[in-house]
Amino acid sequence: MEKQLTFIKKLQNPFLRIAGAAALGIGLAGICLNSLFCWLTDLHFQGLLHIGPAPTDAFGVIFAEHLIIWLIPAFLFYLWGRLLSRSKIRIIDVWGTTAFAQLPLLGIGIFGFFPAVQHIIHIQPSDLTPEWFSQSATISGLLLLLISLLFLIWTLIWMFKALKISCNLKSTRLGIAYTLSVILGDIVAVYLIHLLYT
């Protein structure tokens, strides 16, 4: 029972045990692997909170998308940490924990291999008919995409924990820093990623 509780605690907040270079190494490995998954399935992360198809299938673009959705929040976390925290902030801890927090996105990358999800990804506007929505592949794909939101929520929770631990922020300062980082980070990430497509 105690081992189960310890495992649950690790799932809730892995940064009590791992940070710095170790977290960065594991996180970067996950980013590279998920970039490969997305390249193979033509799935794109078009912002912190946006997933879908894109007008290019170049691996370099897909890898750049993953770097952007990691580095933008990492930069904002570090900035807020320096402004709001009284502790000494190590950039390797911020980069490492934020990269590690991206690991649940691997679940979305894996879901991209499912034919039902591919059916949704490659939808054309002309396909959007009542019959299309009633197809079993469409229903299954939408269900899988709904489940994939859990992986996105898991990532956002870990990003919250990453900011809290790496920058030693609490209560109101933590909430403000996290909320602004996610909102501004998503806006900036969407803008930069769409520049990649032009």
Side-chain angles (χ1 to χ4, degrees):
M1 184 68 175
E2 186 175 337
K3 287 184 178 179
Q4 289 178 339
L5 289 174
T6 303
F7 177 71
I8 291 172
K9 286 181 180 179
K10 286 180 182 178
L11 281 180
Q12 290 175 343
N13 191 357
F15 310 119
L16 296 173
R17 300 285 182 108
I18 187 168
L24 180 60
I26 295 170
L28 286 176
I31 287 170
C32 291
L33 185 59
N34 208 27
S35 296
L36 178 61
F37 290 166
C38 291
W39 178 63
L40 292 172
T41 60
D42 198 26
L43 184 66
H44 292 260
F45 285 84
Q46 299 168 334
L48 294 179
L49 308 172
H50 304 275
I51 303 160
T56 178
D57 59 356
F59 179 80
V61 170
I62 292 173
F63 185 64
E65 291 170 359
H66 283 77
L67 290 181
I68 288 170
I69 65 171
W70 160 49
L71 289 172
I72 295 299
F75 171 78
L76 291 171
F77 285 178
Y78 182 72
L79 180 64
W80 287 117
R82 293 297 299 269
L83 289 173
L84 300 177
S85 178
R86 297 183 180 91
S87 302
K88 182 179 179 181
I89 310 299
R90 296 195 326 151
I91 196 166
I92 187 68
D93 288 330
V94 179
W95 282 2
T97 55
T98 309
F100 193 96
Q102 305 277 321
L103 289 178
L105 296 180
L106 281 165
I108 298 176
I110 291 170
F111 271 14
F113 286 98
F114 285 74
V117 174
Q118 286 291 314
H119 179 71
I120 300 291
I121 292 173
H122 295 104
I123 178 65
Q124 299 296 322
S126 59
D127 296 330
L128 295 174
T129 63
E131 292 77 21
W132 183 85
F133 283 101
S134 64
Q135 293 176 14
S136 60
T138 302
I139 296 169
S140 300
L142 290 172
L143 180 61
L144 288 171
L145 288 176
L146 186 61
I147 295 171
S148 72
L149 287 177
L150 297 177
F151 292 103
L152 180 59
I153 292 169
W154 186 357
T155 298
L156 291 172
I157 291 171
W158 273 11
M159 286 175 64
F160 179 83
K161 301 290 186 179
L163 174 61
K164 180 179 181 180
I165 296 294
S166 65
C167 296
N168 194 26
L169 290 173
K170 299 177 182 178
S171 62
T172 305
R173 292 182 179 187
L174 173 61
I176 291 172
Y178 179 74
T179 303
L180 290 176
S181 294
V182 170
I183 294 172
L184 292 175
D186 186 53
I187 293 170
V188 174
V190 167
Y191 175 75
L192 292 177
I193 288 170
H194 277 78
L195 286 181
L196 296 173
Y197 304 152
T198 58

